Amino acid sequence: MVRTKSFCWGSSALLFLCLVGFFSTPAKAALKTYRFDVQVKNVSRLCHSKPIVTVNGMFPGPTVYAREGDTLLVNVTNHAQYNMSIHWHGLKQYRNGWADGPAYITQCPIKTGHSYTYNITITGQRGTLWWHAHIFWLRATVYGAIVILPKQGTGFPFLQPYKEANIVLGEWWNNDVEEVVKQGNKLGLPPNMSDAHTINGKPGPLFPCSEKHTYALEVEQGKTYLLRIINAALNDELFFAIAGHNLTVVEIDAVYTKPFTSQAILIAPGQTTNVLVQANQVPGRYFMAARPFMDAPVSIDNKTATGILQYKGIPNTVQPVLPQLPALNNTAFALSFNAKLRSLNTAQFPASVPLKVDRHLFYTIGLGINQCTTCHNGTQLTASLNNITFVMPQIGLLQAHYFNTKGVFTTDFPDRPPTPFNYTGAPLTANLGTKLGTRLSKLAFNSTVELVLQDTNLLTVESHPFHLHGYNFFVVGTGVGNFDPKKDPAKYNLVDPPERNTIGVPTGGWVALRFRADNPGVWFMHCHLELHTSWGLKTAFVVENGKDSDHSVLPPPTDLPPC
C-alpha cells in the first residue's frame, strides 16, 4: 500500500502539484493522511470581524482529495472551546459507522484538547462529496469539499474538462452563530437568519466591504471547465447560475447522471452537483450567483451571493453581468429541474433499483408547538417525523447498539403515522402534540426498503432536504399533494431514477425512496435544514448484522472519543 502525505491546500500552485501527484501515482490504492486542526480564528466579512471555528485556520476548510479505492486517515485535533465531530457527507462507510461522524449517533464528540482519527475506505464511489461539523450549528463555518477522482486509467463518462474548480455555497452570520441559536431557543422561535450567502466563503461585491471578499475563477476562451458545486448552507435551498453560460449537469451526490443543460441549477443543503461550463462567450467578466429558493410563507435571507467568471486577459475594471436567476418562489422551475435528473444506468454505472420491496415505510414531516417552561412564551416550535420529536441521547447510539447497552434507545419507531389525516389540506392549526423519544426503526440486513416522505400542512407546508447517512437511495417517485399508495407507484421510475444521499421533499408534496439495507450499523436520517434538525426532525435506522462477520459492524477503534 502506498503511503502518501496529502496536504492539498493553500496556493493554486500547490493544488496543481497535488493533482499532478494523484494522476501520477501507481494504480493500486493509496493511504492518504490529513491533519485537521480545529481552531478559532478571527475572520472579517461584511465590515464585521468575529472569531469563528475553522479547520487549519481556513474558511471554508481544506479540500480532501482521494481516488476511488483509497483509504483516508484524517486526524482531527480539537483546539476550540466547543465539542466537535466531523461528518464525511455521502461516504458510505461500509460496516464502519465509527467514522461517520454525527455526534451522539455514531460517536461521542471530540472534547477540547483531544484527537480522533477517522479511518475511511472509499469503496465504489467517485465524484464530489463534502465534510462538515455534525454538532450544534458549527457547520456554519466548519466545512469543505471531498473530491474523489476515478481509479487510475478510468476517465469521466463525459467530456474531459480542461480544468476544474470547487464552488462551495454557504451562509454568513455577523454575530456568533451559537449565540444566535441560544437566543432563538430562549424565545422558542427560529433564530435570526443569516446576513449573507457566500461562494467559497466570500459574499461578493453586492455586499459592503466585500471587494476583497469575492471569489474569481479565471477561464480561457474555448475551454471546458468542471465545476464541483456544494450547498453547505445551513438553512437555504439555492439557485445557482452564471451569466451568459449554460450549465451541463453530469453528476449529483457523487453519482453520474445523464447529461442535460440548464441555465440554472437548484441545489439543497447537503447536495452536490457537478456541471460542465464552456467558456464560449465574448471574453469578459460574468457574475456567478446564488440566492435562495423558498415557495413557503417562511422568512429567509433573500440576498444574492456572487463570484466572477473572468476570461483571461480581461481587466478587473470591466463591469460583470448578472445572470437571470429563477424567482425566489419559482416552484415550476424547481420541479422541472429535479424531474430532469436521471441516473446514467450503463453497464459500467448501473442503476440497481430494488424492484421487490420487503418493507414499506411512510413518514410524515410535521411542524408543531410544544410546551416549554424555559421559553419566554411558554411554548416552542418543534418538528417531528410520524409525530415523534427525536431526543438526542447522551452516548453514541452505535456504541449502545454494538455493546447492547439498555435504556439508550428503543426500536419501536412506527412504520406509518399514528393518526392518518389530510396531510396537505387546509392549514392545520390544531396541534397534534408531538411525542418525545429516542425511537429508531430496525431493518433486517439486506432487506429492501421503500420510504415515502410526506410533507404536511401542520402550521405550514415547507420543503425539506432529507439526508440518509451510510447509504445512497433511488428517488423512484415524487409529487405534490398527498401520496396515493394505490395510484402513485404506477408512475414510479424504476429504470434510471436519480441516485443520491440527500433529497428535497417538495413543499406540500412527497418523495418515494428505495434502498437495500446492506450496510449494518446505526445510520442517522434527518432534515438538512439545521433549524429543523435542532427542533427534532430526525431519526435513525438500526440495520442488523448479516449472518457472517463480513456483514457485521466492525469493532470500534481504540481512540473512539469517550462520552
Side-chain angles (χ1 to χ4, degrees):
M1 199 176 255
V2 178
R3 182 176 178 84
T4 58
K5 288 267 184 186
S6 300
F7 299 106
C8 294
W9 54 79
S11 70
S12 56
L14 257 179
L15 181 57
F16 175 75
L17 288 172
C18 283
L19 283 170
V20 168
F22 280 108
F23 283 108
S24 59
T25 48
K28 57 185 175 179
L31 183 67
K32 304 284 193 308
T33 62
Y34 281 83
R35 188 183 70 245
F36 275 23
D37 286 319
V38 178
Q39 54 198 216
V40 173
K41 181 184 179 183
N42 272 325
V43 169
S44 294
R45 296 288 186 274
L46 312 187
C47 319
H48 287 72
S49 180
K50 69 169 186 176
I52 65 168
V53 183
T54 69
V55 168
N56 299 346
M58 299 170 63
F59 170 61
T63 298
V64 171
Y65 287 94
R67 279 199 184 280
E68 181 184 345
D70 286 352
T71 294
L72 286 169
L73 291 180
V74 187
N75 178 259
V76 178
T77 302
N78 186 9
H79 302 284
Q81 72 271 36
Y82 301 103
N83 287 343
M84 177 57 64
S85 75
I86 304 284
H87 170 50
W88 313 91
H89 186 113
L91 285 173
K92 291 181 186 173
Q93 309 280 17
Y94 187 64
R95 301 169 54 213
N96 186 31
W98 311 111
D100 189 42
Y104 301 107
I105 306 296
T106 59
Q107 68 167 93
C108 291
I110 307 163
K111 296 187 173 82
T112 305
H114 291 75
S115 298
Y116 177 47
T117 298
Y118 291 93
N119 185 335
I120 302 161
T121 299
I122 301 168
T123 308
Q125 292 184 275
R126 81 294 306 159
T128 306
L129 295 169
W130 65 301
W131 58 265
H132 60 83
H134 211 302
I135 183 167
F136 313 127
W137 285 42
L138 292 175
R139 72 178 176 91
T141 57
V142 180
Y143 59 83
I146 301 173
V147 173
I148 308 167
L149 300 166
K151 286 181 177 175
Q152 280 284 6
T154 307
F156 298 125
F158 48 80
L159 178 73
Q160 179 72 29
Y162 173 62
K163 280 184 181 174
E164 56 181 68
N166 300 335
I167 306 290
V168 189
L169 311 176
E171 286 179 274
W172 172 266
W173 277 260
N174 285 333
N175 296 317
D176 182 302
V177 178
E178 292 303 313
E179 289 304 316
V180 169
V181 174
K182 277 182 200 166
Q183 189 61 33
N185 289 343
K186 271 186 200 166
L187 296 170
L189 296 169
N192 290 342
M193 66 188 80
S194 57
D195 295 288
H197 291 102
T198 57
I199 296 177
N200 291 342
K202 297 171 179 179
L206 303 186
F207 289 89
C209 302
S210 294
E211 294 79 9
K212 289 188 292 187
H213 300 305
T214 300
Y215 170 72
L217 173 65
E218 186 180 83
V219 297
E220 291 184 38
Q221 174 78 25
K223 299 287 203 294
T224 298
Y225 295 80
L226 178 68
L227 303 187
R228 299 175 179 270
I229 305 168
I230 298 164
N231 186 348
L234 269 74
N235 292 308
D236 287 333
E237 294 185 77
L238 295 167
F239 293 121
F240 176 86
I242 302 174
H245 294 73
N246 285 331
L247 310 175
T248 300
V249 177
V250 291
E251 178 200 303
I252 52 172
D253 292 2
V255 179
Y256 296 132
T257 61
K258 290 184 169 72
F260 71 92
T261 299
S262 181
Q263 288 187 319
I265 66 164
L266 175 65
I267 183 166
Q271 292 181 336
T272 68
T273 305
N274 282 10
V275 300
L276 291 174
V277 178
Q278 290 184 311
N280 56 6
Q281 297 302 301
V282 175
R285 299 173 84 222
Y286 297 85
F287 272 129
M288 51 182 90
R291 80 159 180 233
F293 163 61
M294 173 55 73
D295 58 353
V298 176
S299 298
I300 53 159
D301 167 16
N302 187 24
K303 302 186 193 81
T304 303
T306 51
I308 296 173
L309 186 85
Q310 183 154 345
Y311 280 70
K312 193 169 182 179
I314 298 297
N316 290 347
T317 50
V318 174
Q319 281 297 105
V321 184
L322 265 172
Q324 282 288 106
L325 285 164
L328 170 73
N329 59 351
N330 193 336
T331 306
F333 179 92
L335 295 174
S336 164
F337 177 81
N338 285 326
K340 291 173 190 165
L341 297 169
R342 292 275 187 274
S343 286
L344 206 50
N345 194 21
T346 59
Q348 190 179 3
F349 303 106
S352 305
V353 188
L355 300 180
K356 175 182 152 290
V357 175
D358 299 319
R359 184 89 172 270
H360 287 270
L361 305 175
F362 183 78
Y363 290 0
T364 53
I365 303 162
L367 298 176
I369 299 171
N370 279 3
Q371 298 302 308
C372 173
T373 53
T374 58
C375 298
H376 284 197
N377 300 331
T379 60
Q380 65 179 356
L381 286 165
T382 189
S384 65
L385 284 168
N386 281 355
N387 218 42
I388 296 165
T389 297
F390 191 83
V391 176
M392 292 296 274
Q394 297 303 303
I395 73 164
L397 293 175
L398 183 58
Q399 285 156 283
H401 167 62
Y402 186 86
F403 293 109
N404 201 22
T405 308
K406 304 297 182 194
V408 178
F409 65 87
T410 59
T411 55
D412 61 348
F413 190 91
D415 285 5
R416 49 198 53 82
T419 311
F421 56 97
N422 182 1
Y423 306 114
T424 56
L428 297 150
T429 51
N431 196 359
L432 293 181
T434 68
K435 291 184 167 62
L436 305 179
T438 311
R439 297 167 67 180
L440 280 54
S441 185
K442 187 180 276 191
L443 302 176
F445 178 77
N446 215 32
S447 61
T448 53
V449 179
E450 179 176 305
L451 168 61
V452 175
L453 291 166
Q454 172 74 61
D455 188 30
T456 69
N457 206 357
L458 287 165
L459 296 187
T460 179
V461 288
E462 193 173 340
S463 176
H464 300 274
F466 263 83
H467 173 46
L468 176 59
H469 291 227
Y471 288 90
N472 280 357
F473 47 73
F474 292 96
V475 186
V476 295
T478 186
V480 175
N482 295 342
F483 174 73
D484 186 330
K486 292 196 175 94
K487 294 180 182 172
D488 286 325
K491 300 179 224 161
Y492 283 176
N493 175 6
L494 300 176
V495 177
D496 61 352
E499 180 187 345
R500 54 191 329 163
N501 62 59
T502 306
I503 182 64
V505 180
T507 301
W510 57 271
V511 294
L513 319 173
R514 286 191 183 180
F515 64 96
R516 181 176 293 279
D518 57 2
N519 191 1
V522 178
W523 301 105
F524 206 22
M525 188 184 77
H526 60 97
C527 181
H528 223 275
L529 302 178
E530 203 59 40
L531 179 62
H532 292 170
T533 298
S534 60
W535 286 351
L537 195 49
K538 50 198 171 188
T539 186
F541 292 107
V542 179
V543 180
E544 296 178 297
N545 285 336
K547 288 181 180 164
D548 54 57
S549 58
D550 283 351
H551 299 127
S552 300
V553 177
L554 293 167
T558 53
D559 64 339
L560 189 72
C563 286

